[in-house]
Amino acid sequence: MNTVAVVTGACRNLGLALVQGLAQRLDAGSVVYLTGRDPERVQAAQAEVQAAPAEVRGAVVDVSDAVAVARFAALLTEQHGGVDIVFANHYARVQPDDDPAAVVDYYVAVNNLGTTNVLREFAPRLRDGGRLLVVASRAGRLRVLAPVLHDRFDAPQSLDEVDDAVCTWRDAVRAGRAAGQAWPAWINIPSKIGQVAAVRVLARQRRAEDQRRGILIAAVCPGLIDTGASRAWLDMADAQSPAQAAAGLLDLALDPAPDPGLYGELISFGRVLAWR
């Protein structure tokens, strides 16, 4: 059976490197879907992919649109019978001079609601041995959030409840109330925690059956990457290139027998990062 892989947010940087790496490592007859929301950028990114055994197909998918994600996932099921590897890598950028209240709606729609849209639609379509990996960061842990806020992301029992928690925070940012409620000023932190919380909730619901079928669902931290999204915020002296960062994630996705202890966790370079 040939492999079917999907990478969201794949038009540049890590996403494009993941597509290239999958195309190179998978066998002929496999298909890698390079997805993004802008048709011109999807087409341009597809043209950058070097010749490889697996076929790369461009697909326009706006992850913030739940209907569009459902339609795309159903199409892949119709064409291939399911999917084997999904990297949820999409993200909306935020810069230091952005007003959080002005950008938080779109930021959450892509980074958080987009992630839960992907989880809802693709987890049920994973074939045996499948991999569903959400690209997050070290900031996606409760330890970087004020303790008074921990239950917002630790208590949810469903993806809908995670969405509710994220949207409650979003609304506080939009209304200028976030600082008074102990939320951090950098909106990346609650957003990443929301992504990891969503993975943890889904994993709790599916753990027994997924582990029986050899499926891995996890959040992954690729480490510091030198991109336009991070240069304005962080020192890039020790940063990886997108291709370097992709290598470890590809190793995990293509490992036929990953450590069961990684399931449902935030993973960085093969090691679990503690949630609390």
Side-chain angles (χ1 to χ4, degrees), residues 122-155:
F122 280 98
R125 292 175 165 86
L126 288 171
R127 297 193 283 212
D128 289 357
R131 307 286 182 256
L132 176 47
L133 303 175
V134 173
V135 178
S137 81
R138 297 180 68 88
R141 298 178 290 168
L142 287 184
R143 61 179 295 176
V144 299
L145 197 63
V148 70
L149 298 170
H150 285 191
D151 279 352
R152 304 285 187 96
F153 295 106
D154 211 18

Side-chain angles (χ1 to χ4, degrees), residues 115-235:
T115 294
T116 51
N117 287 339
V118 169
L119 292 175
R120 286 188 184 94
E121 294 300 331
F122 280 98
R125 292 175 165 86
L126 288 171
R127 297 193 283 212
D128 289 357
R131 307 286 182 256
L132 176 47
L133 303 175
V134 173
V135 178
S137 81
R138 297 180 68 88
R141 298 178 290 168
L142 287 184
R143 61 179 295 176
V144 299
L145 197 63
V148 70
L149 298 170
H150 285 191
D151 279 352
R152 304 285 187 96
F153 295 106
D154 211 18
Q157 298 298 309
S158 69
L159 292 179
D160 287 347
E161 290 180 9
V162 175
D163 285 348
D164 288 345
V166 168
C167 290
T168 298
W169 158 69
R170 175 203 64 193
D171 294 347
V173 173
R174 187 199 300 144
R177 300 192 306 268
Q181 297 175 7
W183 293 106
W186 192 18
I187 61 175
N188 185 59
I189 292 175
S191 176
K192 291 300 182 186
I193 292 171
Q195 286 182 308
V196 176
V199 169
R200 292 175 62 83
V201 164
L202 183 66
R204 283 200 299 269
Q205 296 171 341
R206 295 176 52 96
R207 180 180 300 272
E209 182 66 10
D210 280 352
Q211 295 198 325
R212 184 186 70 79
R213 297 175 54 204
I215 290 172
L216 175 64
I217 294 175
V220 290
C221 169
L224 184 60
I225 309 172
D226 188 4
T227 69
S230 52
R231 287 184 202 119
W233 294 96
L234 301 165
D235 181 359

Side-chain angles (χ1 to χ4, degrees), residues 2-215:
N2 295 323
T3 300
V4 178
V6 176
V7 183
T8 66
C11 292
R12 59 184 171 185
N13 299 327
L14 178 62
L16 186 55
L18 288 169
V19 168
Q20 181 69 69
L22 286 167
Q24 290 173 336
R25 296 198 194 190
L26 295 176
D27 296 333
S30 296
V31 181
V32 182
Y33 284 89
L34 182 163
T35 79
R37 70 179 184 275
D38 183 275
E40 292 183 359
R41 288 181 57 196
V42 168
Q43 185 177 16
Q46 188 177 2
E48 288 186 43
V49 178
Q50 300 172 7
E55 177 187 359
V56 174
R57 299 180 187 175
V60 178
V61 184
D62 180 354
V63 296
S64 69
D65 183 343
V67 173
V69 176
R71 186 183 301 120
F72 178 58
L75 177 64
L76 295 196
T77 302
E78 179 183 338
Q79 293 184 348
H80 305 288
V83 65
D84 302 289
I85 299 172
V86 179
F87 278 108
N89 174 69
H90 51 272
Y91 64 96
R93 293 188 179 193
V94 61
Q95 298 297 325
D97 56 352
D98 287 337
D99 176 5
V103 301
V104 72
D105 280 28
Y106 180 67
Y107 192 78
V108 165
V110 174
N111 294 357
N112 294 98
L113 304 183
T115 294
T116 51
N117 287 339
V118 169
L119 292 175
R120 286 188 184 94
E121 294 300 331
F122 280 98
R125 292 175 165 86
L126 288 171
R127 297 193 283 212
D128 289 357
R131 307 286 182 256
L132 176 47
L133 303 175
V134 173
V135 178
S137 81
R138 297 180 68 88
R141 298 178 290 168
L142 287 184
R143 61 179 295 176
V144 299
L145 197 63
V148 70
L149 298 170
H150 285 191
D151 279 352
R152 304 285 187 96
F153 295 106
D154 211 18
Q157 298 298 309
S158 69
L159 292 179
D160 287 347
E161 290 180 9
V162 175
D163 285 348
D164 288 345
V166 168
C167 290
T168 298
W169 158 69
R170 175 203 64 193
D171 294 347
V173 173
R174 187 199 300 144
R177 300 192 306 268
Q181 297 175 7
W183 293 106
W186 192 18
I187 61 175
N188 185 59
I189 292 175
S191 176
K192 291 300 182 186
I193 292 171
Q195 286 182 308
V196 176
V199 169
R200 292 175 62 83
V201 164
L202 183 66
R204 283 200 299 269
Q205 296 171 341
R206 295 176 52 96
R207 180 180 300 272
E209 182 66 10
D210 280 352
Q211 295 198 325
R212 184 186 70 79
R213 297 175 54 204
I215 290 172

